[in-house]
Amino acid sequence: MLLGGIEAGGTKMVCALGDENGNLKERVSIPTREPEKCVPEMIDYFRGRGIQALGLATFGPADLNKNSPLYGHILKTPKPGWEGYDFAGAFRKELGVPVGFDTDVNGAILGEVTWGAAKGCSSAIYITVGTGIGVGVYVNGGLLHGLMHPEAGHILLARHPDDTAFAGGCPFHRNCAEGLAAGRAIELRWGQKGAALSDRKEVWELESYYLGQAIADYICTYSPEKIILWGGVMHQPQMFDLVREKTLEFLSGYFTQKQFTPEGMKDYITAPALGDNPGIMGALKLAAMQLAQEEN
Ligand code: ADP
Ligand code: ZN
Protein backbone atom coordinates (compact mmCIF):
# COMPACT_ATOMS: atom_id res chain seq x y z
CA MET A 1 0.00 0.00 0.00
CA LEU A 2 1.43 3.38 -0.96
CA LEU A 3 1.13 6.13 1.63
CA GLY A 4 2.31 9.72 1.82
CA GLY A 5 3.91 11.35 4.84
CA ILE A 6 4.78 14.94 5.68
CA GLU A 7 6.89 16.21 8.54
CA ALA A 8 6.21 19.94 8.58
CA GLY A 9 8.89 22.04 10.28
CA GLY A 10 9.78 25.70 10.59
CA THR A 11 12.58 25.48 8.04
CA LYS A 12 11.66 22.52 5.86
CA MET A 13 8.79 20.32 4.82
CA VAL A 14 9.89 16.70 4.48
CA CYS A 15 7.56 14.87 2.09
CA ALA A 16 7.89 11.12 1.61
CA LEU A 17 6.34 8.10 0.01
CA GLY A 18 6.29 4.82 1.91
CA ASP A 19 4.11 2.03 3.15
CA GLU A 20 2.25 0.82 6.21
CA ASN A 21 5.30 -1.14 7.39
CA GLY A 22 7.40 1.98 7.72
CA ASN A 23 9.40 1.44 4.53
CA LEU A 24 10.40 4.83 3.19
CA LYS A 25 10.59 4.68 -0.59
CA GLU A 26 11.66 8.25 -1.29
CA ARG A 27 11.72 11.62 0.36
CA VAL A 28 12.15 15.24 -0.67
CA SER A 29 12.65 18.40 1.30
CA ILE A 30 10.76 21.58 0.39
CA PRO A 31 11.72 24.89 2.07
CA THR A 32 9.03 26.22 4.40
CA ARG A 33 7.56 29.52 3.27
CA GLU A 34 4.10 31.01 3.46
CA PRO A 35 1.48 28.32 2.86
CA GLU A 36 0.40 29.78 -0.49
CA LYS A 37 3.97 29.30 -1.71
CA CYS A 38 5.01 25.92 -0.31
CA VAL A 39 1.79 23.92 0.03
CA PRO A 40 1.09 23.82 -3.76
CA GLU A 41 4.62 22.47 -4.26
CA MET A 42 3.95 19.77 -1.66
CA ILE A 43 0.63 18.87 -3.27
CA ASP A 44 2.33 18.62 -6.68
CA TYR A 45 4.83 16.17 -5.22
CA PHE A 46 2.05 13.78 -4.14
CA ARG A 47 -0.38 14.33 -7.01
CA GLY A 48 -0.69 11.42 -9.40
CA ARG A 49 1.54 9.15 -7.31
CA GLY A 50 -1.33 6.89 -6.25
CA ILE A 51 -1.13 7.33 -2.48
CA GLN A 52 -4.09 5.91 -0.59
CA ALA A 53 -3.77 8.22 2.41
CA LEU A 54 -1.55 10.98 3.74
CA GLY A 55 -0.20 11.59 7.24
CA LEU A 56 0.69 15.13 8.27
CA ALA A 57 2.85 15.64 11.37
CA THR A 58 3.16 19.39 11.82
CA PHE A 59 4.67 22.16 13.91
CA GLY A 60 2.08 23.58 16.28
CA PRO A 61 -0.01 24.78 17.70
CA ALA A 62 -2.61 22.88 15.72
CA ASP A 63 -6.25 21.95 16.25
CA LEU A 64 -6.44 18.15 16.61
CA ASN A 65 -9.99 17.98 17.89
CA LYS A 66 -12.00 16.15 15.25
CA ASN A 67 -15.22 17.78 16.49
CA SER A 68 -13.86 21.29 16.14
CA PRO A 69 -14.63 23.49 13.13
CA LEU A 70 -10.92 24.32 13.10
CA TYR A 71 -9.76 20.68 13.01
CA GLY A 72 -6.66 20.41 10.83
CA HIS A 73 -5.87 24.12 11.11
CA ILE A 74 -2.76 25.82 12.46
CA LEU A 75 -3.64 28.01 15.45
CA LYS A 76 -2.02 31.19 16.79
CA THR A 77 1.52 31.41 15.45
CA PRO A 78 4.02 34.10 14.51
CA LYS A 79 4.91 32.15 11.31
CA PRO A 80 3.87 34.47 8.46
CA GLY A 81 0.66 33.36 6.77
CA TRP A 82 0.15 30.21 8.83
CA GLU A 83 -2.21 31.38 11.55
CA GLY A 84 -5.67 29.93 10.93
CA TYR A 85 -4.49 28.02 7.85
CA ASP A 86 -6.43 24.82 7.04
CA PHE A 87 -3.32 22.66 6.57
CA ALA A 88 -4.91 19.20 6.54
CA GLY A 89 -7.90 20.47 4.55
CA ALA A 90 -5.67 21.74 1.72
CA PHE A 91 -4.36 18.22 1.06
CA ARG A 92 -7.71 16.54 1.59
CA LYS A 93 -9.30 18.86 -0.96
CA GLU A 94 -6.58 18.61 -3.61
CA LEU A 95 -5.59 14.95 -3.26
CA GLY A 96 -8.96 13.49 -2.23
CA VAL A 97 -7.45 10.96 0.19
CA PRO A 98 -7.81 10.52 3.98
CA VAL A 99 -5.42 12.82 5.84
CA GLY A 100 -4.17 11.86 9.31
CA PHE A 101 -3.18 14.96 11.28
CA ASP A 102 -1.11 15.40 14.41
CA THR A 103 1.85 17.32 15.82
CA ASP A 104 5.43 16.70 14.67
CA VAL A 105 6.44 15.35 18.07
CA ASN A 106 3.37 13.14 18.36
CA GLY A 107 4.34 11.81 14.92
CA ALA A 108 7.85 11.12 16.19
CA ILE A 109 6.71 9.18 19.25
CA LEU A 110 4.24 7.25 17.10
CA GLY A 111 7.09 6.27 14.76
CA GLU A 112 9.30 5.18 17.66
CA VAL A 113 6.49 3.26 19.40
CA THR A 114 5.58 1.49 16.17
CA TRP A 115 9.04 0.67 14.80
CA GLY A 116 11.74 2.15 17.00
CA ALA A 117 13.20 2.34 20.49
CA ALA A 118 9.80 2.46 22.22
CA LYS A 119 8.37 -0.50 20.29
CA GLY A 120 5.93 -2.42 22.46
CA CYS A 121 5.52 0.37 25.04
CA SER A 122 2.01 1.42 25.93
CA SER A 123 3.26 4.76 27.26
CA ALA A 124 6.32 6.65 26.04
CA ILE A 125 7.40 10.20 25.26
CA TYR A 126 9.57 11.85 22.61
CA ILE A 127 11.39 15.01 23.63
CA THR A 128 13.11 17.19 21.07
CA VAL A 129 15.58 19.78 22.28
CA GLY A 130 16.12 21.80 19.12
CA THR A 131 15.47 25.47 18.45
CA GLY A 132 12.55 25.00 20.87
CA ILE A 133 11.53 22.09 23.07
CA GLY A 134 8.65 19.83 22.05
CA VAL A 135 7.24 16.71 23.64
CA GLY A 136 5.15 14.03 21.92
CA VAL A 137 3.12 11.94 24.32
CA TYR A 138 1.81 8.42 23.83
CA VAL A 139 -0.21 7.12 26.79
CA ASN A 140 -2.11 3.88 27.33
CA GLY A 141 -1.77 2.94 23.67
CA GLY A 142 -2.71 6.23 22.02
CA LEU A 143 -1.42 9.71 21.26
CA LEU A 144 -2.37 12.30 23.87
CA HIS A 145 -4.43 15.22 22.57
CA GLY A 146 -6.82 16.37 25.28
CA LEU A 147 -8.07 19.94 25.13
CA MET A 148 -5.41 20.79 22.53
CA HIS A 149 -2.17 18.82 22.70
CA PRO A 150 0.58 18.74 25.29
CA GLU A 151 2.90 21.77 25.26
CA ALA A 152 5.30 20.20 27.70
CA GLY A 153 8.22 22.31 26.48
CA HIS A 154 6.63 25.18 28.39
CA ILE A 155 6.51 23.60 31.84
CA LEU A 156 7.88 25.94 34.48
CA LEU A 157 11.16 24.99 36.12
CA ALA A 158 13.07 26.12 39.17
CA ARG A 159 16.00 28.30 38.18
CA HIS A 160 19.52 27.26 38.91
CA PRO A 161 20.77 29.58 41.68
CA ASP A 162 23.63 30.76 39.42
CA ASP A 163 21.33 31.49 36.47
CA THR A 164 19.21 34.36 37.75
CA ALA A 165 20.42 37.08 35.37
CA PHE A 166 19.36 35.49 32.07
CA ALA A 167 15.95 36.80 30.98
CA GLY A 168 14.98 33.52 29.32
CA GLY A 169 14.22 32.84 25.67
CA CYS A 170 10.44 32.38 25.79
CA PRO A 171 8.30 35.47 25.21
CA PHE A 172 5.51 34.00 27.36
CA HIS A 173 7.25 32.53 30.41
CA ARG A 174 10.33 33.64 32.27
CA ASN A 175 11.15 30.21 33.64
CA CYS A 176 9.89 27.59 31.18
CA ALA A 177 11.98 24.65 29.94
CA GLU A 178 12.06 25.93 26.37
CA GLY A 179 13.03 29.43 27.46
CA LEU A 180 15.83 28.14 29.69
CA ALA A 181 17.17 25.13 27.81
CA ALA A 182 16.26 25.05 24.10
CA GLY A 183 18.97 25.65 21.49
CA ARG A 184 17.77 29.23 21.13
CA ALA A 185 18.08 29.81 24.88
CA ILE A 186 21.64 28.44 24.87
CA GLU A 187 22.55 30.86 22.10
CA LEU A 188 20.92 33.82 23.87
CA ARG A 189 22.50 33.05 27.25
CA TRP A 190 26.04 32.30 26.10
CA GLY A 191 26.20 34.41 22.94
CA GLN A 192 27.16 31.48 20.72
CA LYS A 193 25.46 28.49 19.18
CA GLY A 194 25.57 25.24 21.13
CA ALA A 195 27.85 23.52 18.63
CA ALA A 196 30.57 26.13 19.33
CA LEU A 197 30.36 25.60 23.10
CA SER A 198 31.29 21.91 23.24
CA ASP A 199 34.25 22.36 25.58
CA ARG A 200 32.46 24.72 28.01
CA LYS A 201 31.61 22.32 30.83
CA GLU A 202 29.38 24.82 32.65
CA VAL A 203 27.10 25.14 29.61
CA TRP A 204 26.24 21.44 29.62
CA GLU A 205 26.03 21.19 33.41
CA LEU A 206 23.40 23.92 33.40
CA GLU A 207 21.67 22.46 30.36
CA SER A 208 21.36 19.05 31.96
CA TYR A 209 20.18 20.66 35.20
CA TYR A 210 17.14 21.99 33.33
CA LEU A 211 16.55 18.96 31.12
CA GLY A 212 16.91 16.60 34.10
CA GLN A 213 14.37 18.63 36.01
CA ALA A 214 11.93 18.69 33.10
CA ILE A 215 12.30 14.94 32.52
CA ALA A 216 11.76 14.19 36.21
CA ASP A 217 8.49 16.13 35.91
CA TYR A 218 7.48 14.21 32.76
CA ILE A 219 8.21 10.92 34.53
CA CYS A 220 6.04 11.94 37.49
CA THR A 221 3.15 13.06 35.29
CA TYR A 222 3.14 10.82 32.16
CA SER A 223 4.65 7.66 33.70
CA PRO A 224 6.46 6.75 30.47
CA GLU A 225 8.00 3.31 29.94
CA LYS A 226 10.57 4.85 27.62
CA ILE A 227 11.91 8.34 26.99
CA ILE A 228 13.27 9.18 23.57
CA LEU A 229 15.45 12.28 23.61
CA TRP A 230 16.70 14.02 20.47
CA GLY A 231 17.02 17.34 18.62
CA GLY A 232 20.09 19.38 17.67
CA VAL A 233 21.20 20.07 21.26
CA MET A 234 21.42 16.32 21.98
CA HIS A 235 24.14 16.07 19.33
CA GLN A 236 26.48 17.01 22.17
CA PRO A 237 27.73 13.53 23.01
CA GLN A 238 28.23 14.22 26.73
CA MET A 239 24.62 15.29 27.17
CA PHE A 240 22.93 11.89 27.43
CA ASP A 241 24.87 10.77 30.49
CA LEU A 242 24.61 14.19 32.13
CA VAL A 243 20.83 14.28 31.62
CA ARG A 244 20.41 10.73 32.95
CA GLU A 245 22.43 11.62 36.03
CA LYS A 246 20.50 14.83 36.74
CA THR A 247 17.14 13.14 36.16
CA LEU A 248 18.00 10.60 38.85
CA GLU A 249 19.13 13.39 41.15
CA PHE A 250 15.84 15.24 40.75
CA LEU A 251 13.82 12.07 41.31
CA SER A 252 15.73 11.66 44.59
CA GLY A 253 15.16 7.92 44.98
CA TYR A 254 11.37 8.20 44.87
CA PHE A 255 10.90 5.46 42.25
CA THR A 256 12.35 2.00 42.79
CA GLN A 257 11.96 0.31 39.38
CA LYS A 258 15.12 -0.92 37.69
CA GLN A 259 14.97 1.95 35.19
CA PHE A 260 15.84 4.36 37.98
CA THR A 261 19.39 3.18 38.50
CA PRO A 262 22.45 4.53 36.67
CA GLU A 263 22.55 1.30 34.63
CA GLY A 264 18.79 1.24 33.93
CA MET A 265 18.81 4.88 32.85
CA LYS A 266 21.02 4.06 29.85
CA ASP A 267 18.19 2.14 28.30
CA TYR A 268 15.37 4.25 29.71
CA ILE A 269 16.44 7.64 28.29
CA THR A 270 17.69 6.99 24.80
CA ALA A 271 18.18 8.41 21.31
CA PRO A 272 15.65 7.42 18.63
CA ALA A 273 16.21 4.07 16.94
CA LEU A 274 14.87 5.47 13.66
CA GLY A 275 17.71 7.99 13.27
CA ASP A 276 16.43 11.14 11.60
CA ASN A 277 13.19 9.49 10.53
CA PRO A 278 10.89 9.04 13.54
CA GLY A 279 8.72 12.00 12.50
CA ILE A 280 8.33 11.09 8.86
CA MET A 281 7.79 7.41 9.66
CA GLY A 282 5.23 8.41 12.26
CA ALA A 283 3.51 10.43 9.53
CA LEU A 284 3.20 7.24 7.44
CA LYS A 285 1.64 5.52 10.44
CA LEU A 286 -0.78 8.45 10.86
CA ALA A 287 -1.77 7.94 7.22
CA ALA A 288 -2.35 4.20 7.74
CA MET A 289 -4.38 4.84 10.90
CA GLN A 290 -6.57 7.45 9.21
CA LEU A 291 -7.18 5.14 6.25
CA ALA A 292 -8.20 2.29 8.56
CA GLN A 293 -10.51 4.63 10.45
CA GLU A 294 -12.24 5.95 7.33
CA GLU A 295 -12.64 2.45 5.89
CA ASN A 296 -14.64 1.39 8.95
P1 ADP B 1 14.83 22.49 14.80
O1 ADP B 1 14.49 22.40 16.24
O2 ADP B 1 15.00 23.90 14.35
O3 ADP B 1 13.90 21.71 13.93
P2 ADP B 1 17.29 20.97 15.35
O4 ADP B 1 16.65 19.86 16.09
O5 ADP B 1 18.38 20.63 14.40
O6 ADP B 1 16.25 21.82 14.52
O7 ADP B 1 17.86 21.96 16.44
C1 ADP B 1 18.52 23.13 16.13
C2 ADP B 1 19.14 23.68 17.41
O8 ADP B 1 20.12 22.76 17.91
C3 ADP B 1 19.84 25.00 17.21
O9 ADP B 1 19.55 25.86 18.30
C4 ADP B 1 21.32 24.61 17.20
O10 ADP B 1 22.15 25.66 17.66
C5 ADP B 1 21.35 23.43 18.13
N1 ADP B 1 22.44 22.51 17.81
C6 ADP B 1 22.69 21.91 16.63
N2 ADP B 1 23.80 21.13 16.68
C7 ADP B 1 24.27 21.24 17.95
C8 ADP B 1 25.38 20.69 18.64
N3 ADP B 1 26.26 19.88 18.06
N4 ADP B 1 25.52 21.01 19.95
C9 ADP B 1 24.64 21.83 20.56
N5 ADP B 1 23.59 22.39 19.96
C10 ADP B 1 23.40 22.12 18.67
ZN1 ZN C 1 7.43 29.14 27.49
Side-chain angles (χ1 to χ4, degrees), residues 85-107:
Y85 181 68
D86 185 6
F87 204 6
F91 291 94
R92 170 101 223 187
K93 182 165 163 274
E94 292 295 327
L95 299 174
V97 295
V99 178
F101 185 65
D102 218 306
T103 62
D104 46 4
V105 278
N106 267 357

Side-chain angles (χ1 to χ4, degrees), residues 159 163-169 174 179-181 184-186 188-190:
R159 287 247 176 183
D163 187 39
T164 49
F166 176 52
R174 195 178 138 76
L180 293 174
R184 187 167 171 272
I186 294 176
L188 285 172
R189 183 191 286 107
W190 304 99

Side-chain angles (χ1 to χ4, degrees), residues 153-156 170-179:
H154 292 276
I155 60 167
L156 305 181
C170 173
F172 298 94
H173 319 109
R174 195 178 138 76
N175 290 339
C176 75
E178 175 167 305

Side-chain angles (χ1 to χ4, degrees), residues 204-223:
W204 310 108
E205 279 290 328
L206 185 64
E207 181 66 11
S208 55
Y209 176 88
Y210 289 128
L211 293 182
Q213 200 181 150
I215 292 174
D217 288 352
Y218 302 148
I219 291 169
C220 293
T221 49
Y222 296 132
S223 192

Side-chain angles (χ1 to χ4, degrees), residues 7-78:
E7 187 182 12
T11 49
K12 64 180 193 294
M13 302 287 188
V14 178
C15 299
L17 297 177
D19 67 19
E20 72 282 14
N21 299 317
N23 298 309
L24 280 173
K25 294 184 199 305
E26 62 168 71
R27 60 190 280 163
V28 297
S29 192
I30 293 171
T32 302
R33 284 147 294 154
E34 291 172 19
E36 291 69 28
K37 294 195 176 127
C38 66
V39 173
E41 239 179 89
M42 296 160 76
I43 289 168
D44 280 349
Y45 171 73
F46 291 110
R47 203 193 297 279
R49 306 297 290 273
I51 59 169
Q52 291 187 43
L54 179 72
L56 174 51
T58 180
F59 56 79
D63 192 335
L64 307 178
N65 177 358
K66 290 191 173 164
N67 299 317
S68 160
L70 292 180
Y71 173 73
H73 290 59
I74 300 295
L75 301 174
K76 190 173 165 55
T77 176

Side-chain angles (χ1 to χ4, degrees), residues 5 33 57 78 99 138 149 173 185 192 226 229 248 250 257:
R33 284 147 294 154
V99 178
Y138 187 88
H149 46 75
H173 319 109
Q192 284 183 81
K226 188 75 92 176
L229 184 57
L248 278 185
F250 279 107
Q257 286 78 1

Side-chain angles (χ1 to χ4, degrees), residues 7 9-12 104 128-133 182-187 192-198 204 230-239:
E7 187 182 12
T11 49
K12 64 180 193 294
D104 46 4
T128 177
V129 189
T131 308
I133 294 183
R184 187 167 171 272
I186 294 176
E187 199 174 334
Q192 284 183 81
K193 284 188 187 296
L197 295 162
S198 299
W204 310 108
W230 203 229
V233 173
M234 292 311 297
H235 286 73
Q236 286 291 321
Q238 73 277 36
M239 276 300 288

Side-chain angles (χ1 to χ4, degrees), residues 119-140:
K119 195 169 171 185
C121 292
S122 69
S123 297
I125 61 173
Y126 182 100
I127 307 167
T128 177
V129 189
T131 308
I133 294 183
V135 185
V137 184
Y138 187 88
V139 277
N140 292 343

